[in-house]
Structure formats: C-alpha cells, structure tokens
Amino acid sequence: MLLDILIICSLIQASPYYDCSEHWIIEIHDEPVLCNIGQDVLVAGCTNFETKTVRVYDYAMFSYDKDEYGFTVLEHELEHLKCMCGFHS
C-alpha cells in the first residue's frame, strides 16, 4: 500500500546540488514494491527513468544493510536518477 509521495528537486553533482527545473517523485510503500527489472519481482526499491520515480519500501529506506557503495536503499535509488544509469550493474 502506498503510504506517501514526496516530490523533490533533482539532485546534481555540482553546487547548488539540486535543480528545481526537474522534479523527482519518491513513493514510500509499507511493503516491498513490485518492480519490473526484466520481470515483475518484489524488491526493496526501484527507479523508473522515464517518469523520474523512485519506489521504495519504507522499512528498507534506512534500515537495510548498505550496498557495495555504502548507500541505503533510498540513496541507491537516488544515485540511479542522478546518473540515469545502472551503476551497480
């Protein structure tokens, strides 16, 4: 179930570190989210480049272990939007 939707300015690598001409949507869910990553699966978070939307499981936002780059689930998904890439391969 969808708990909340946040709309934020896009994050960029240079000062002032945000760009409000582009907005990103963060959907916070109370259960793992269904995402299509080659096939539909339940995951802690996922990113859609076309809609600039991050879907994340609220429990996973800050409490799961960090990925190999030291990011939480939410930070990991925001990094995808910052570079518009699959940096984690």
Side-chain angles (χ1 to χ4, degrees):
M1 176 178 176
L2 180 65
L3 293 178
D4 204 357
I5 295 176
L6 305 173
I7 298 176
I8 64 171
C9 297
S10 66
L11 304 176
I12 57 175
Q13 302 289 342
S15 181
Y17 306 107
Y18 61 89
D19 175 4
C20 289
S21 68
E22 179 177 284
H23 293 99
W24 296 344
I25 299 166
I26 302 173
E27 294 180 1
I28 302 168
H29 296 259
D30 66 352
E31 55 194 24
V33 293
L34 184 63
C35 296
N36 188 320
I37 50 176
Q39 62 184 12
D40 285 340
V41 294
L42 289 173
V43 292
C46 61
T47 301
N48 183 312
F49 297 136
E50 290 178 16
T51 62
K52 295 182 175 63
T53 301
V54 169
R55 301 178 74 214
V56 66
Y57 174 31
D58 68 340
Y59 176 74
M61 282 177 47
F62 305 108
S63 60
Y64 275 22
D65 289 333
K66 296 184 180 199
D67 68 10
E68 63 268 29
Y69 298 98
F71 296 123
T72 64
V73 172
L74 179 58
E75 291 168 334
H76 177 100
E77 297 307 327
L78 289 173
E79 284 297 313
H80 283 302
L81 282 179
K82 282 169 62 177
C83 67
M84 298 293 282
C85 62
F87 69 91
H88 68 307
S89 63

